[in-house]
Amino acid sequence: MTVPERGLLAAGFLLLAAIGLGLVSRAPAPSVVVGSAEPSPSISDTALREGVVGSIETLDPLYATDPAERDAIALLFRGLTRLGPGASFEPDLAASWEIADGGRTWTFTLREDVRWHDGRPVTADDVVFTVLSLQHPDYDGPFAGPWRDVIVERLGPFAVRFRLPEPLASFLAATTQPIVPAHLLAAIPVAERRFTAFGREPVGSGPFRLASLDYTVARMERFGPPPGGPRALPPDDPLATLPPPTPASPPAGPPRPLLDALELRVFATPDEAAAAFRAGELDALGGLPASLTAELAALPGVRSAVYPTTVMTAVVFNLRSAPSPFRDARARRALLMSIDRGAIVSLLLDGAGIVADTPTTPASPFHDVSSAPAVTHDPAAAAKLLKAAGWTRGTAGWRQPKGTAVA
């Protein structure tokens, strides 16, 4: 549905939240290599072939929005933290963090052994540069929101501090934002950065590095230190004076991937992707409608998995407009009660979703079930509430008080 351009408040009712992302894959075949101790020297026929629906225009983490782009970026880049089991967050570029001042101050200590794919160390300068880029007036990407009023400070080569105007329970989620390399992007004005070559030739710090990219396939190979260890920096490089990583420094991020290589194959529609999967051209396929995922999962030798995400679909009312029929809470509650949200989850999402009664997903550890008691589907009770609010029902539907039919 469409909503008015102005005067919106996030006080509407929620349809559903925490939608599951379906993935189907074939049983392991000889073409898939697992358990190799060292990265392969190049892309080979052992690459896992995974299908995604969407397009890849850029792999710059500050601008990429398409699901296919974000899937690739998750393998090429790291944030300070990453999603862990359930609704938890785990260290990634960060080794640890401390919270002070009632949740207004967050101090992160970075790992000292993480390298960009070109061999340079990842430092606090890269973190500060990324946040300042998101806050820049010329930044026109979609990820500035959580960082708009945050003050970022460099405390040392591997330490950063964030000062928030108010405590924010969801701040750790913001720190999953992938960090970009300052040494490659700092000289480019923010207003011009969206269109640089970096979007097609990214240098990240993730478990995979980009080997090649066209508009249908992103080929990635497992990243590891070159033989003999990381290359030495030129003597005149400011980072050349950094001490070597301390022996006690924890390993960089999650365990290294078992795959030597991965091909992310891009399709314009779910049907095209499903056809390629049926033809045996793909080893795995994700991001499909729930019904199509279930259909493919029924094929011999195919298994499915559901990964939780926090996509939320909601109806938001314009409560600032004086004539709005939804300023009356009884009308809002009646509309919520008239919608069978359980049926939406069951029929449209094949059960891969849950109904939410607050803007905080029930999967979050900060969700308080007592803050908003569940509202059940009850058309009869909804009709009574509408009548109590002055609405009348005629042949054309429900009519708001002194207004025209709206339903």
Side-chain angles (χ1 to χ4, degrees), residues 54-391:
S55 63
I56 297 181
E57 300 294 334
T58 180
L59 291 178
D60 186 328
L62 303 193
Y63 297 97
T65 56
D66 189 274
E69 296 170 339
R70 303 304 294 179
D71 283 352
I73 284 170
L75 299 173
L76 298 172
F77 290 85
R78 299 186 192 274
L80 288 171
T81 64
R82 67 179 187 272
L83 294 177
S88 65
F89 294 92
E90 297 181 343
D92 202 352
L93 288 177
S96 62
W97 58 85
E98 297 179 356
I99 308 171
D101 192 23
R104 294 178 177 85
T105 301
W106 297 66
T107 303
F108 286 78
T109 300
L110 275 61
R111 300 176 185 270
E112 300 179 16
D113 54 356
V114 187
R115 293 292 188 271
W116 294 107
H117 295 160
D118 63 4
R120 289 176 61 90
V122 180
T123 70
D125 293 324
D126 299 304
V127 178
V128 172
F129 170 78
T130 300
V131 173
L132 293 181
S133 295
L134 293 170
Q135 295 176 338
H136 197 281
D138 292 335
Y139 172 69
D140 61 350
F143 304 111
W147 301 98
R148 185 168 292 114
D149 299 317
V150 175
I151 298 174
V152 58
E153 304 171 80
R154 179 188 185 275
L155 302 182
F158 299 103
V160 291
R161 175 184 294 152
F162 301 106
R163 297 186 184 276
L164 284 58
E166 297 292 339
L168 186 63
S170 62
F171 183 67
L172 270 184
T175 62
T176 62
Q177 168 65 45
I179 301 302
V180 296
H183 68 282
L184 295 179
L185 297 172
I188 304 173
V190 175
E192 302 174 12
R193 206 172 292 163
R194 177 188 283 271
F195 307 104
T196 64
F198 185 82
R200 305 294 298 181
E201 302 174 358
V203 175
S205 60
F208 287 87
R209 71 171 185 86
L210 187 69
S212 65
L213 174 68
D214 59 34
Y215 290 97
T216 60
V217 181
R219 299 175 181 269
M220 293 170 280
E221 66 181 1
R222 183 172 52 175
F223 174 67
R231 65 177 176 82
L233 297 173
D236 59 347
D237 192 300
L239 296 181
T241 59
L242 287 177
T246 60
S249 183
R256 295 179 63 194
L258 298 178
L259 292 173
D260 287 333
L262 185 145
E263 291 183 0
L264 206 60
R265 301 190 178 185
V266 183
F267 298 87
T269 68
D271 288 338
E272 291 178 9
F277 186 82
R278 292 190 186 95
E281 299 171 4
L282 299 173
D283 302 304
L285 176 59
L288 300 179
S291 58
L292 190 52
T293 299
E295 178 184 330
L296 294 177
L299 296 174
V302 175
R303 57 189 177 186
S304 65
V306 177
Y307 296 93
T309 183
T310 52
V311 175
M312 180 177 290
T313 302
V315 176
V316 182
F317 298 118
N318 183 354
L319 301 181
R320 293 183 179 178
S321 173
S324 172
F326 301 112
R327 290 177 65 89
D328 191 319
R330 293 172 296 183
R332 299 196 301 272
R333 186 174 182 84
L335 191 53
L336 176 58
M337 297 174 71
S338 69
I339 297 176
D340 190 347
R341 295 175 291 165
I344 293 176
V345 171
S346 175
L347 299 178
L348 298 184
L349 298 177
D350 198 32
I354 54 179
V355 173
D357 290 289
T358 75
T360 303
T361 169
S364 169
F366 303 106
H367 177 254
D368 182 2
V369 67
S370 65
S371 64
V375 177
T376 59
H377 177 228
D378 191 339
K384 292 181 180 179
L385 280 177
L386 285 176
K387 290 180 180 178
W391 291 56

